[in-house]
Each structure stands twice: as C-alpha cells, then as structure tokens.
Amino acid sequence: MPMYQPSNRREADMKLDSQVLDLETAVKDGILGGGCGIISTGFASQKLDLKIMIEELESIDVPPVFICPISLEPMQDPVTLCTGQTYERSNILKWFSLGRYTCPTTMQELWDDSVTPNKTLQQLIFSWFSQKYLAMKKRSEDVQGRVKEILENLKKVKGQARVQALKEFRQVVQAHGTAKKTVVENGGVGLISSLLGPFTTHVVGSEVIGILVNLNLDSNSKFDLLQPAKISLMVDILNEGSIETKINCTRLIRMLMEGNDFASENVASLSLLVGLLRLVKDKKHQNGVLPGLSLLKVICSHESVRNSFVNVGAVPQLVELMPELNNECLELVLHLLELLSNIPEGRLALKDCPNTIPNVVKLLMKASENCMQSALSILWTICKFAPEECASIALDAGLAAKLLLVIQSGCNPVLKQRSAELLKLCSLNYTTTIFISKCNLTRTSCFQEL
C-alpha cells in the first residue's frame, strides 16, 4: 500500500487539492465521477476496484485529504468522528478496540463513539484514483502500440532510419515497464538480437545493446547472444564506445555469463579483460567502476581465466585502485586479488608489486570484515610465498600493530585466529628481541599473542 509522500504536484492535482476540502463545491463542479463504481471516459467503460487501483498506483502522490492519519495510506472506506476528523474505518475501529476513546489527531475525548460514513469523500477518492488509473492504462496501451509499430518498422528500415528507430525504441524500453513485456511477447528479443553481427556498425550495436540490457532474456536468447561474432562485437564496442555504452556492454555480458559455467572461457578474451581494466580505472567516469568489477568477479570465478588476467597486468592496476574505492568496490577488488593469489603467477605478481603489502595493511581495522578477511588471506599467502622478503616489508608497514588490534578487538573469531597465525608467521625469521624492536611492540603484548 502506498505511503503518503508530500511533493510538488501537477496543476491538475493542485486544482483538485484546492477544492477537496469543500466537498459540496467539488460535487457541483463535477469533479466527482459517476457513482456505483462505474467510470465512463472516452477511453473505456470499466468496473473499477478502488483497492486494486490504489495498489497499482502506489508510486503516485496522493492529496493529503485522502490519507488516513493513522495508517498514512489512502482511505477506501472513510468515516468521520464527532470531532469532524476522518479516518479509514478499519483503522479507527482498531483504535477503539484497544480501549482508546479519543480522536487520534486531536486527542480529544469522544462524547460519541459512533462513526459516520463519509460517502462524499469516498466518491471523491474513487473518482480521483479512477481518473489516474485510466490515464495510466491509456498510456500503457499507447506504449504497447508504439512498441509493436517500431518492431514492424525495424524489419524494413536500414541505415540512419534504423538508428533513429532503435534510439526511440531504447528510450521507450527504458521509460516504460510495460514496453519490456510487449517486446518479449511479440518476439522482439530475437529481432533485436539479429541486428548484432560481424557487419553491424558500432552505432547500431550500441543502441541494440542499450535495448537488450533492459530486457529479461531467457536461456535461448542468451545462448544466441553468446555466439562468437556477437560477443566479439560487444567487446569491440566496450573498448571504443561512450561511457554509457561501455557500462551497457558490461552489464549485458554479465547477464549472459551469470549461471553459465561454459561462458567465461568463451567470452573472456584478452580484449575484454583489457577493456574492463580501462573501465574501472577511468577516473572521469566513476559510475563504470562497480559494473566493471562485478563482471570481472564473474569472469575470474573460473580458474582458467585467472592466468590471462594476471598476464594483462591486472594485479598492479587493481592494487593502485584500492585507496580510492568505496567499501563495495573495495570488497570486489580484494576478492579478485585473493582469487589471483591462489595461482603461482598471481602470487608472484602480488609479491613483485611494491604497493601490495602497504595498501593491504592500511585496510586492517579500517574496512569491513569481508574486506579484512580477504586482506588477511592475501597477506598470509604472499608472506608464506616469500617469507623473508614480504614479512620484513609487512612489519615495516605496521602490520604487527594492526594484527594486535584485530586480535584484541571484537572482530569475528576467524579473523582473530588468522591474525594470530600471520603474526606468528612474520616472527619466524627473527629473534624475539629483534622482532619486538622491529615492530615497536612491548614485550608483554607480543608474548601474549605469540
């Protein structure tokens, strides 16, 4: 049920609001529709259900006088108390059932607990919602008709006319939920998908991708779009298109890959990996970072792709990104680096990147527990891989003090255990005295944890 949200309304709504308190004037001026639940318009004559109309118009701004002060929802059966205040019948009766014989709005004690049906207001509410509902249905049918026209037109037109038709189609699909359903029901997905191919221009391809990414694609449609020629075109457009097109390509490829265990190896070309790294590093367009990292997470969930990702220089580029990211994106980057640390090439790249350990150490006790879990896993892996070199760098970066903070905090016990293990690992190449001196720790705190 919709909650009342005050906002600026259109002129027609404001006119209604200015008259709504004077119900007699509203009736005389013809604002009320024909009673008994039948509304006649030039569009249709229908028997309408107020409850259904309220539910389907949940996002619309409702005049305050239609709102029950108790539930803050539109009234369907308004009744008036002796104080002159009006409420939804079920809400005020529930109020009375709790032993409260006062007016909820004014808190006056009631000298008469009877309720009087406010038929005039009920009719006004019904009329207002009916007009909005029928207008919405009319717009919906207009949209459906326009979608069908464009689909038929796309079968015939070529060149610039096709581009213009696709632009309009994309705008309609983005703006209207009913358009998406109409596209699917009229075979539009197959028609639009058929426009992608080895000879498709990037202008046409960008518009097609902008449409497809807004549709619900079934398994057959996804299978068709995973054809090498179509994927190749998407990757080319991702590398060369506008930021909006890049994001649309990224989202569409992710849609095609999710739930498809065989897609990653077929889709994850070096060109795609390079394009996604460029997208997430684009400082001018931060809105591309999250979609790019999300797709990389899907791609790298398959171990066979990780070596290629390392080979295109992913590790140092992701490490350099970390200080600038919000928590959601940071979790994705750390998850990717943790996955790469599980292969020899990834561990070597992490060790050789000079900022890996300093940037990861800084996150401890500053990021979410998910981030810290990945950070500790990365540090453990590379310190175990090259203990003499990496342990020294980690201790110089302040790792020991951070680990002690984790151990002594209220963090997850798993994080505490991993921190204690990592602290012990870093101490193996030093005498106790040197280790304590190097970490700037007191002997008591160090012995307690080691």
Side-chain angles (χ1 to χ4, degrees):
M1 295 290 284
M3 296 292 288
Y4 168 60
Q5 298 177 348
S7 67
N8 294 326
R9 290 182 291 277
R10 291 186 294 274
E11 186 176 353
D13 291 345
M14 294 178 67
K15 178 180 179 182
L16 177 58
D17 291 348
S18 68
Q19 298 176 338
V20 76
L21 292 176
D22 184 356
L23 300 181
E24 290 185 8
T25 302
V27 174
K28 290 177 183 178
D29 288 351
I31 294 177
L32 296 180
C36 303
I38 305 293
I39 287 290
S40 296
T41 68
F43 170 62
S45 294
Q46 305 179 32
K47 187 170 183 178
L48 303 175
D49 185 296
L50 180 57
K51 181 180 179 181
I52 293 175
M53 291 190 292
I54 290 174
E55 289 174 350
E56 293 197 21
L57 292 168
E58 64 175 335
S59 61
I60 199 170
D61 297 323
V62 180
V65 75
F66 295 168
I67 302 298
C68 174
I70 297 175
S71 66
L72 299 182
E73 297 175 350
M75 293 180 282
Q76 300 177 46
D77 186 11
V79 294
T80 302
L81 302 185
C82 59
T83 59
Q85 300 296 321
T86 301
Y87 302 91
E88 174 65 26
R89 180 188 294 274
S90 61
N91 294 333
I92 194 61
L93 292 181
K94 184 176 181 180
W95 176 270
F96 290 162
S97 73
L98 298 173
R100 301 166 177 165
Y101 293 100
T102 56
C103 175
T105 301
T106 65
M107 296 311 294
Q108 290 177 271
E109 288 192 15
L110 300 177
W111 58 92
D112 180 358
D113 63 358
S114 62
V115 296
T116 304
N118 194 330
K119 294 295 184 183
T120 305
L121 179 58
Q122 186 180 39
Q123 280 188 298
L124 187 57
I125 293 171
F126 181 86
S127 179
W128 189 87
F129 272 100
S130 297
Q131 293 169 15
K132 300 294 182 185
Y133 181 79
L134 291 174
M136 178 192 74
K137 290 296 184 183
K138 178 67 166 62
R139 287 193 300 272
S140 176
E141 290 208 357
D142 289 345
V143 168
Q144 293 171 21
R146 186 59 187 143
V147 167
K148 293 176 182 177
E149 288 178 10
I150 298 175
L151 285 173
E152 286 300 315
N153 195 30
L154 284 171
K155 296 176 182 178
K156 308 169 187 175
V157 296
K158 297 186 182 298
Q160 190 59 33
R162 173 177 286 178
V163 174
Q164 292 304 317
L166 287 169
K167 283 182 182 293
E168 181 185 356
F169 202 19
R170 177 169 57 86
Q171 292 168 357
V172 171
V173 168
Q174 288 176 337
H176 303 281
T178 54
K180 302 174 186 179
K181 184 178 178 182
T182 305
V183 173
V184 174
E185 291 176 347
N186 289 271
V189 176
L191 174 61
I192 299 300
S193 299
S194 69
L195 300 179
L196 290 178
F199 303 109
T200 303
T201 65
H202 284 196
V203 176
V204 169
S206 297
E207 297 299 333
V208 169
I209 291 167
I211 295 167
L212 291 173
V213 79
N214 285 288
L215 301 177
N216 294 321
L217 304 176
D218 60 23
S219 57
N220 291 332
S221 300
K222 290 181 179 180
F223 181 80
D224 176 62
L225 288 167
L226 283 168
Q227 293 178 27
K230 295 183 178 183
I231 289 295
S232 178
L233 177 64
M234 292 181 208
V235 173
D236 287 346
I237 293 175
L238 184 150
N239 276 288
E240 300 177 17
S242 65
I243 185 61
E244 180 185 6
T245 299
K246 290 175 187 285
I247 292 172
N248 284 338
C249 287
T250 302
R251 289 172 55 205
L252 180 58
I253 294 173
R254 183 183 174 191
M255 286 169 58
L256 299 178
M257 293 182 66
E258 285 184 329
N260 189 330
D261 292 335
F262 303 102
S264 287
E265 294 184 25
N266 298 330
V267 171
S269 63
L270 292 178
S271 182
L272 173 60
L273 296 173
V274 169
L276 290 173
L277 282 173
R278 287 176 182 161
L279 179 63
V280 301
K281 286 170 35 185
D282 188 346
K283 294 184 179 180
K284 293 182 179 179
H285 304 100
Q286 295 292 316
N287 54 332
V289 178
L290 182 58
L293 291 173
S294 298
L295 177 53
L296 285 170
K297 178 182 177 181
V298 175
I299 293 173
C300 289
S301 64
H302 297 268
E303 188 173 351
S304 58
V305 180
R306 295 173 196 169
N307 189 43
S308 298
F309 196 36
V310 173
N311 289 338
V312 297
V315 168
Q317 295 183 61
L318 292 177
V319 168
E320 294 303 319
L321 274 178
M322 290 198 301
E324 305 169 2
L325 299 177
N326 60 36
N327 195 70
E328 185 177 12
C329 292
L330 185 58
E331 282 192 17
L332 289 170
V333 165
L334 287 169
H335 177 77
L336 288 169
L337 293 175
E338 185 179 5
L339 289 176
L340 297 181
S341 72
N342 292 328
I343 62 173
E345 297 83 359
R347 288 192 288 273
L348 181 61
L350 284 164
K351 179 187 79 70
D352 290 343
C353 177
N355 289 322
T356 297
I357 292 175
N359 283 359
V360 175
V361 168
K362 287 177 184 177
L363 300 177
L364 298 179
M365 294 304 295
K366 287 187 177 181
S368 68
E369 286 200 354
N370 286 338
C371 285
M372 287 204 295
Q373 186 169 341
S374 294
L376 289 171
S377 177
I378 293 166
L379 290 169
W380 170 268
T381 300
I382 56 178
C383 285
K384 193 172 183 180
F385 175 65
E388 293 185 9
E389 179 182 352
C390 293
S392 176
I393 296 172
L395 294 175
D396 288 342
L399 176 63
K402 288 289 187 77
L403 292 177
L404 287 172
L405 283 174
V406 175
I407 294 168
Q408 296 165 6
S409 72
C411 288
N412 187 314
V414 175
L415 295 180
K416 293 185 177 186
Q417 180 64 29
R418 177 50 65 92
S419 296
E421 292 170 354
L422 182 55
L423 187 61
K424 187 173 182 179
L425 176 66
C426 291
S427 70
L428 294 179
N429 294 310
Y430 301 95
T431 65
T432 302
T433 303
I434 295 176
F435 181 71
I436 293 172
S437 173
K438 189 171 182 63
C439 301
N440 295 318
L441 301 175
T442 65
R443 180 174 292 271
T444 301
S445 65
C446 193
F447 275 138
Q448 283 176 342
E449 306 309 336
L450 293 177

